[in-house]
Amino acid sequence: MSLLSVDNLTIQFRTDEGLITAVENVSFDIQPGEVLGLAGESGSGKSVTAKAIMQLNGHNTVYDPASKIVLHGDPDIDVFSLRRERDMLPIRGGAISMIFQEPMASFAPAITVGKQMVEQLQVHTTMSKSQAKELSVEMLDRVGITDPGRRFDQYVFEYSGGMRQRAMIAMALTTKPRLLIADEPTTALDVTIQRQVIDLMKELIDDFGMSILFITHDLGVIAQTADQLAVMYLGRIMERGPVRNVLRNPAHAYTRGLLNALPNLEDLDAPLMPIPGDIPSPLERPSGCVFHPRNAELAPGSRYETEVPPMTEVGPSHFAAVFPEDVR
Amino acid sequence: MTSLVSVENLTVTFPLGQRLFGAPPTLRAVKNVSLQIPKGSFFGLVGESGSGKTTLGRAILKATPIEDGKITYDDGSWKCSIAEMSKAQERHFRSQTQMIFQDPYAALSPRMTVRDIIAEPLEVLGLTKTREETDARVREIAGKCRINLEHLRRYPHAFSGGQRQRISIARALATGPKFVVADECVAALDVSIQADILNLLKKLQHTLDLTFLFISHDLSVVAHVCDYVAVMYLGEIVEEGPTKQIFANPKHSYTQALLGAIPSLDPDQRSRVVR
């Protein structure tokens, strides 16, 4: 039984220029204790998908009626049936926590870190103030912040970048969420700090057993953290499956293109291979397979220009948006 | 090989706030750095945030005041010392050196057309006499940077990140510089575009005989495009040399830590660099 299932999620935004499609027919499941990496470039719809799970998209968002997001449990929660703000507490910070890219912007600057941690515990649990403080300090200690008692009473500007992200993780975990959404949590960090945060997250997965939806554009970070991988491009999932299968035997031209575009450290003389063309403007969404204008492997006039390819099984629980005849 | 830029014992400090009495506390962003940038090279400067790599790049372009030390620019036919330039020398120096910035969304004025953006340095420095001459130069450089000439009349908002970065590059190269400081110029770009911009820079380096100071935090990018690399940590250069040598055999523990921290694409391996 999966923890979260997303079915046929289609999200559009009303703008002055008309309706813009951000996410189209996205479906995936997250199993308990599993890390799903959601990879994609800017504009691929990965953050919009995550925000839909917590109902955090703006007022100009249009969800297609066929879209369904269900958080399984006792009882199941149908995210789109929640109408009032207070009904959303179980998904916003209760069963689901979220950490963001820029930890400086995620904490209030004029309230101590400790006070913010206690506040959210009082909203989501029945803990007393002293219990909440005790748990918060314990959690700061757990994520590797030295002298947590003193740090608890400090402001976020007194923390370094890595420490802020650790505090953010600590805060997200105090409510014991069943699902943690991490939106580019290491992108703003230096590589050495990124390494520490990745190691910390892996430890915490083992200790707490929650599921994680890990959003990043960095396939290296995904390889190090995720069990399953879904690759998005212009709002559609191009390929998904177990992380080893997808990275070792990529079935979609876009996944292969992304992997080839990365600088290869084993062979410094190898030429860099960009994906041809530019990411199209959201107003000029390509027909058929959204990647076809940049796909150098396609012959002119192929089916991909007009027809949307289905998710085809290319290996054990490994799917790609290709027509069955193109499965190699 | 001759050096285009030589930096000797450079120190740059910034005052931190003000005091009523006495001197304010200072931050030494660059400490006693010496560096030779060979002519025609693609010189990488790597380090984490706060290591002073941008400050060093700006100091070389006379965009930040120097506390101590000497920077000389010598392209074989013209030389000067950055700290003691006359107005006329500075004018020439400005046309010979340019900078490409990190964020192509912030670097281009939203109220100027692409043509005006690329033409601005030519007009400011008075390098072209007539509008026709300016237009001809803009078209030439735009073509070299693979900008569609029909797009010259548009405004930057109509372009994607990669296209915008090509416009920034065209603007930097319009004056025909010999030395370009590229400060994190691919950091804000998507992976599929990043490789394209790097290939373009490499190609332009050869066709226009440029020397690049390529500032980046991304070692895997530096490894691919740079001939030489210097690693900065807390305002000092801890290690420098030919790129291949540094990557094959890093001597300083900080360089080793940086290399070891690059996440591997193989889920069963921790880091990209195996030793």
Side-chain angles (χ1 to χ4, degrees):
Chain A
M1 176 74 160
S2 62
L3 173 70
L4 179 87
S5 42
V6 174
D7 279 308
N8 293 318
L9 182 66
T10 299
I11 305 173
Q12 292 179 308
F13 290 114
R14 267 191 303 269
T15 68
D16 294 341
E17 280 100 23
L19 270 183
I20 282 176
T21 304
V23 173
E24 199 177 359
N25 269 325
V26 161
S27 304
F28 59 83
D29 286 295
I30 302 179
Q31 306 300 325
E34 181 183 81
V35 182
L36 171 70
L38 199 54
E41 299 182 288
S42 49
S44 62
K46 47 196 196 307
S47 291
V48 176
T49 304
K51 284 185 184 162
I53 298 170
M54 288 179 105
Q55 291 282 285
L56 290 174
N57 284 314
H59 292 294
N60 61 340
T61 317
V62 184
Y63 294 100
D64 188 89
S67 308
K68 208 166 165 60
I69 300 177
V70 179
L71 182 72
H72 297 286
D74 192 23
D76 287 359
I77 302 172
D78 177 357
V79 171
F80 287 117
S81 72
L82 306 173
R83 287 277 167 264
R84 283 170 304 187
E85 289 283 316
R86 62 159 188 244
D87 294 339
M88 296 186 189
L89 279 183
I91 56 161
R92 286 187 188 159
I96 310 177
S97 285
M98 188 160 180
I99 55 177
F100 301 91
Q101 173 170 354
E102 191 37 80
M104 186 68 198
S106 317
F107 279 105
I111 305 171
T112 61
V113 171
K115 194 164 179 210
Q116 295 179 54
M117 293 183 77
V118 168
E119 185 189 12
Q120 58 119 13
L121 279 171
Q122 288 186 309
V123 170
H124 290 291
T125 65
T126 53
M127 270 181 220
S128 70
K129 220 169 182 169
S130 58
Q131 283 173 315
K133 177 172 177 177
E134 200 180 314
L135 177 66
S136 300
V137 173
E138 194 187 308
M139 197 57 86
L140 286 176
D141 188 37
R142 175 67 196 83
V143 297
I145 289 179
T146 48
D147 199 358
R150 188 172 62 88
R151 290 285 179 190
F152 181 85
D153 289 320
Q154 285 187 336
Y155 294 91
V156 64
F157 67 83
E158 296 172 89
Y159 281 46
S160 70
M163 229 187 284
R164 284 173 198 157
Q165 202 55 281
R166 283 166 193 270
M168 191 81 221
I169 294 172
M171 184 161 158
L173 294 184
T174 46
T175 51
K176 302 215 160 38
R178 291 159 59 208
L179 173 67
L180 176 69
I181 300 176
D183 189 356
E184 302 265 10
T186 62
T187 308
L189 305 176
D190 283 318
V191 263
T192 48
I193 310 296
Q194 167 174 294
R195 172 95 264 166
Q196 295 170 9
V197 171
I198 290 175
D199 289 347
L200 171 67
M201 291 192 72
K202 282 163 94 170
E203 265 177 57
L204 294 173
I205 297 164
D206 293 343
D207 283 14
F208 290 78
M210 73 263 178
S211 309
I212 300 186
L213 177 62
F214 201 112
I215 299 172
T216 178
H217 68 281
D218 189 331
L219 287 172
V221 173
I222 292 259
Q224 291 299 303
T225 47
D227 305 308
Q228 301 282 322
L229 166 60
V231 181
M232 283 184 84
Y233 179 74
L234 292 187
R236 286 210 200 122
I237 290 185
M238 296 281 125
E239 184 163 2
R240 67 183 152 87
V243 68
R244 284 176 180 75
N245 302 11
V246 177
L247 290 178
R248 286 177 190 160
N249 303 308
H252 198 282
Y254 178 62
T255 319
R256 283 196 290 273
L258 270 187
L259 287 167
N260 289 337
L262 288 174
N264 175 357
L265 278 181
E266 274 81 56
D267 180 7
L268 296 186
D269 294 323
L272 292 170
M273 306 281 287
I275 298 178
D278 277 301
I279 297 171
S281 137
L283 293 167
E284 296 157 13
R285 203 174 160 75
S287 59
C289 170
V290 281
F291 184 60
H292 87 257
R294 299 180 72 191
N295 188 348
E297 296 172 17
L298 292 180
S302 78
R303 282 174 83 177
Y304 290 86
E305 289 174 20
T306 48
E307 292 171 62
V308 178
M311 289 303 275
T312 308
E313 187 156 17
V314 293
S317 51
H318 178 181
F319 297 85
V322 292
F323 287 110
E325 66 264 25
D326 293 318
V327 176
R328 315 186 204 178
Chain B
M1 197 185 285
T2 53
S3 311
L4 183 71
V5 173
S6 16
V7 177
E8 286 164 54
N9 305 321
L10 178 74
T11 298
V12 179
T13 58
F14 294 112
L16 295 172
Q18 287 191 328
R19 291 288 178 278
L20 192 54
F21 299 108
T26 54
L27 173 85
R28 298 184 99 197
V30 176
K31 297 170 197 162
N32 203 16
V33 162
S34 297
L35 189 70
Q36 307 284 327
I37 303 178
K39 197 159 182 267
S41 66
F42 215 107
F43 197 99
L45 193 57
V46 291
E48 295 185 287
S49 43
S51 61
K53 51 193 196 302
T54 296
T55 306
L56 176 57
R58 291 176 66 94
I60 294 173
L61 292 189
K62 202 176 189 233
T64 202
I66 300 168
E67 163 103 0
D68 195 24
K70 194 170 154 66
I71 306 172
T72 39
Y73 174 88
D74 181 2
D75 65 12
S77 55
W78 189 82
K79 80 186 269 191
C80 72
S81 167
I82 307 255
E84 49 228 24
M85 274 193 290
S86 67
K87 277 262 183 283
Q89 276 181 319
E90 181 162 347
R91 219 178 164 74
H92 183 70
F93 180 72
R94 291 285 175 232
S95 72
Q96 295 298 297
T97 55
Q98 286 292 341
M99 191 153 185
I100 303 169
F101 299 93
Q102 170 169 358
D103 186 352
Y105 289 85
L108 305 175
S109 165
R111 303 184 63 164
M112 290 165 82
T113 62
V114 173
R115 183 259 166 210
D116 290 345
I117 287 170
I118 301 175
E120 194 179 26
L122 295 169
E123 284 159 0
V124 169
L125 291 165
L127 296 176
T128 48
K129 307 246 168 354
T130 60
R131 197 182 158 88
E132 286 70 40
E133 199 184 337
T134 311
D135 277 337
R137 177 71 189 145
V138 168
R139 287 174 156 275
E140 182 196 340
I141 201 72
K144 284 203 173 95
C145 297
R146 296 206 337 270
I147 298 165
N148 188 336
L149 296 182
E150 283 162 24
H151 291 170
L152 289 175
R153 261 177 286 154
R154 295 197 195 172
Y155 289 87
H157 71 85
F159 297 97
S160 67
Q163 287 170 320
R164 280 177 207 227
Q165 199 58 296
R166 290 206 290 270
I167 297 168
S168 310
I169 293 171
R171 174 179 62 184
L173 301 183
T175 61
K178 297 206 169 68
F179 179 60
V180 177
V181 175
D183 190 356
E184 296 276 13
C185 72
V186 295
L189 301 180
D190 281 310
V191 219
S192 69
I193 308 297
Q194 176 179 302
D196 180 49
I197 296 292
L198 292 171
N199 287 343
L200 176 67
L201 288 179
K202 276 299 237 191
K203 195 175 144 219
L204 290 168
Q205 185 206 5
H206 292 298
T207 50
L208 302 176
D209 191 23
L210 297 167
T211 305
F212 272 99
L213 178 64
F214 187 85
I215 300 172
S216 177
H217 70 282
D218 189 335
L219 283 153
S220 53
V221 167
V222 167
H224 262 267
V225 296
C226 296
D227 317 316
Y228 295 88
V229 61
V231 182
M232 274 190 99
Y233 182 61
L234 296 179
E236 290 172 67
I237 289 183
V238 294
E239 188 164 4
E240 66 168 299
T243 309
K244 281 194 183 143
Q245 195 180 314
I246 299 271
F247 277 81
N249 190 11
K251 295 273 189 309
H252 195 278
S253 57
Y254 179 66
T255 317
Q256 290 166 1
L258 269 185
L259 281 171
I262 306 175
S264 167
L265 273 175
D266 183 344
D268 298 324
Q269 217 177 60
R270 223 170 98 84
S271 118
R272 286 280 279 282
V273 181
V274 206
R275 248 188 302 279

